[in-house]
């Protein structure tokens, strides 16, 4: 049994390592590609404007992309926070509702018991 679990853990570790290596390679290739694209865009911009305008345009593009990424990360974090708050509220509401139902059942049983033991006059 332990051999089976160890084998499964070894396979999972190998798959995770392969995924990490592929992700690292893809990130490296993407960075090199973005570097070449930036250089080509720089050469194009310098051919139609001066170097200061080209630097401003490229800098603004990178800063804008960074701000968009930060906004997306912030939105995801806020959505996760709201979901956790909603789950906590549902737990509280569920336990309150369960307590109310228990009280209602207890009152019902108490009433039935009192009715059975009561004397009719």
């Amino acid at each position: 049994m332990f051999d089976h679990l160890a084998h499964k853990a070894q396979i999972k570790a190998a798959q995770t390592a392969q995924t990490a290596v592929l992700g690292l390679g893809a990130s490296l290739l993407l960075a090199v590609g973005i570097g070449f694209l930036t250089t080509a865009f720089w050469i194009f911009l310098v051919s139609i404007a001066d170097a200061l305008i080209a630097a401003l345009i490229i800098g603004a593009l990178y800063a804008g992309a960074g701000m968009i990424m930060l906004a997306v990360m912030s939105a995801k974090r806020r959505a996760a926070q709201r979901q956790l708050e909603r789950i906590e509220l549902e737990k509280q509401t569920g336990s309150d509702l369960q307590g109310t139902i228990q009280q209602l059942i207890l009152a019902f049983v108490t009433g039935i018991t009192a009715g059975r033991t009561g004397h009719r006059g």
Side-chain angles (χ1 to χ4, degrees):
M1 179 170 163
F2 290 117
D3 291 335
H4 179 67
L5 290 175
H7 182 67
K8 284 178 73 172
Q10 184 180 13
I11 290 173
K12 184 68 173 170
Q15 289 173 342
T16 303
Q18 289 173 352
T19 302
V21 168
L22 287 174
L24 180 65
S27 298
L28 181 64
L29 291 174
L30 189 60
V32 170
I34 288 174
F36 276 106
L37 286 172
T38 302
T39 303
F41 191 51
W42 173 268
I43 293 168
F44 171 73
L45 288 175
V46 169
S47 70
I48 61 172
D50 62 346
L52 180 63
I53 300 296
L56 283 172
I57 291 172
I58 291 175
L61 286 174
Y62 277 115
M67 287 182 195
I68 289 170
M69 287 179 159
L70 287 174
V72 168
M73 286 174 34
S74 176
K76 282 186 175 184
R77 186 177 67 240
R78 279 184 280 149
Q81 180 72 24
R82 274 182 274 166
Q83 185 176 7
L84 287 174
E85 289 172 358
R86 189 177 316 120
I87 289 171
E88 186 64 32
L89 181 63
E90 287 174 359
K91 284 181 182 177
Q92 289 175 353
T93 305
S95 64
D96 291 345
L97 181 62
Q98 185 179 8
T100 304
I101 291 172
Q102 286 176 350
Q103 289 174 353
L104 181 64
I105 292 171
L106 181 62
F108 179 74
V109 170
T110 303
I112 293 291
T113 305
R116 285 185 180 171
T117 59
H119 299 287
R120 294 184 185 173

